[in-house]
Amino acid sequence: MNYETLIVDREGAVATVRLNRPDKHNALNARLSQELIDAFDVLEADDGVGVIVLTGAGEKAFCAGADMAEAVGGGPTGESEAIAPAAPAQAVARVLRAHKPVIAAVNGYAYGGGAALAANCDFRIASENAKFRFVGASYGLVVGAFQLPRIVGAAMAKELMFTARTIDAAEALRIGLVNHVVPLGKLASTVDELAQATAANSRAAVLASKEVIDLATSSDAALKREMDVNRELRASDEHRERFQAAAERVTGEKGD
């Protein structure tokens, strides 16, 4: 499994998938998104893999969401036009569809699609420097509304999504967004201990447990509505304007 933007390691029945664009804060561009989908397809088809760990390269970011520089392209008139690429959303959705247990090792900030990516894992272990922000409303989109209520409850999910505010690791632990917070230097070993413990148990029972819990807490209607409403919102002038402005801020800050 050789990729340009991913590192995939294997230790026994535990596979670690590492987003590997640290210079771009592990933002999801088209290539990384496609490689992430492919890696999950391969690992889920491998009977030797019992647990997948998802993390980011470096010590600053788990995933910054969609690559804003790539998401802003030239329009037919030569003017800059904001677009919302399908690839990052498809990659985030692929993690949600995993039938094997997926543990997020959140090694820094997780914003936008990166926060949704972490939320789509079965549970999350965060380093002390981790931060989360569900920025969808500020871009004119709905990102995470399907998942957040089942993790933190409806009222807190609404607060995080309506305000798009940033929360640190301590608050994420308090509200139940993450299971544990540990020093960055202990993140990998803590996650590996949990992953190996999971992999040591009955594979059939673990998979069935995940299936039953997901059935008990998820809503197909809510997921479909989030997808449908985003198709409508992406076509709006407000989304284009907000996404364009956000992209210009982000690329300007990074000097792109």
Side-chain angles (χ1 to χ4, degrees):
M1 299 177 70
N2 295 318
Y3 298 108
E4 290 185 18
T5 61
L6 280 183
I7 299 172
V8 181
D9 296 315
R10 176 92 171 268
E11 183 179 348
V14 177
T16 298
V17 177
R18 191 179 308 276
L19 311 180
N20 190 33
R21 300 185 73 219
D23 57 320
K24 296 293 185 180
H25 307 295
N26 301 319
L28 296 167
N29 64 354
R31 179 172 294 279
L32 175 54
S33 298
Q34 187 54 57
E35 290 185 348
L36 185 59
I37 292 169
D38 180 77
F40 266 72
D41 288 346
V42 172
L43 293 173
E44 292 237 90
D46 186 343
D47 291 337
V49 174
V51 180
I52 301 171
V53 173
L54 182 60
T55 192
E59 299 182 350
K60 293 183 178 180
F62 170 75
C63 176
D67 187 321
M68 303 295 279
E70 183 180 87
V72 178
T77 64
E79 296 179 356
S80 181
E81 178 183 3
I83 59 173
Q90 292 168 354
V92 171
R94 178 61 185 89
V95 173
L96 177 65
R97 294 197 308 273
H99 68 274
K100 293 181 178 179
V102 183
I103 304 172
V106 185
N107 58 305
Y109 61 78
Y111 290 173
L117 190 66
N120 281 355
C121 297
D122 292 298
F123 56 88
R124 291 144 295 284
I125 313 302
S127 58
E128 292 174 335
N129 66 322
K131 293 183 179 180
F132 298 83
R133 188 180 180 215
F134 293 85
V135 300
S138 67
Y139 294 170
L141 291 175
V142 178
V143 180
F146 162 71
Q147 283 290 70
L148 269 181
R150 60 197 293 224
I151 300 172
V152 302
M156 182 55 70
K158 289 175 180 178
E159 179 182 331
L160 295 180
M161 296 201 62
F162 294 177
T163 65
R165 68 182 180 87
T166 301
I167 64 170
D168 61 17
E171 183 172 4
L173 179 63
R174 180 180 64 80
I175 66 176
L177 182 58
V178 302
N179 294 58
H180 306 281
V181 174
V182 298
L184 181 61
K186 294 184 178 181
L187 180 62
S189 61
T190 300
V191 172
D192 184 65
E193 182 179 351
L194 291 166
Q196 296 292 349
T198 301
N201 288 324
S202 163
R203 180 77 57 82
V206 169
L207 295 180
S209 296
K210 172 170 177 168
E211 179 186 8
V212 172
I213 293 170
D214 286 347
L215 284 172
T217 59
S218 65
S219 166
D220 289 341
L223 176 59
K224 181 179 184 301
R225 181 55 182 156
E226 182 169 325
M227 296 171 62
D228 289 345
V229 76
N230 276 329
R231 277 193 289 269
E232 299 169 6
L233 290 170
R234 284 193 180 98
S236 70
D237 291 338
E238 181 184 28
H239 165 62
R240 292 176 181 274
E241 293 169 0
R242 285 180 174 274
F243 197 86
Q244 175 76 51
E248 290 175 353
R249 287 196 302 272
V250 171
T251 56
E253 289 170 1
K254 295 179 181 178
D256 295 336

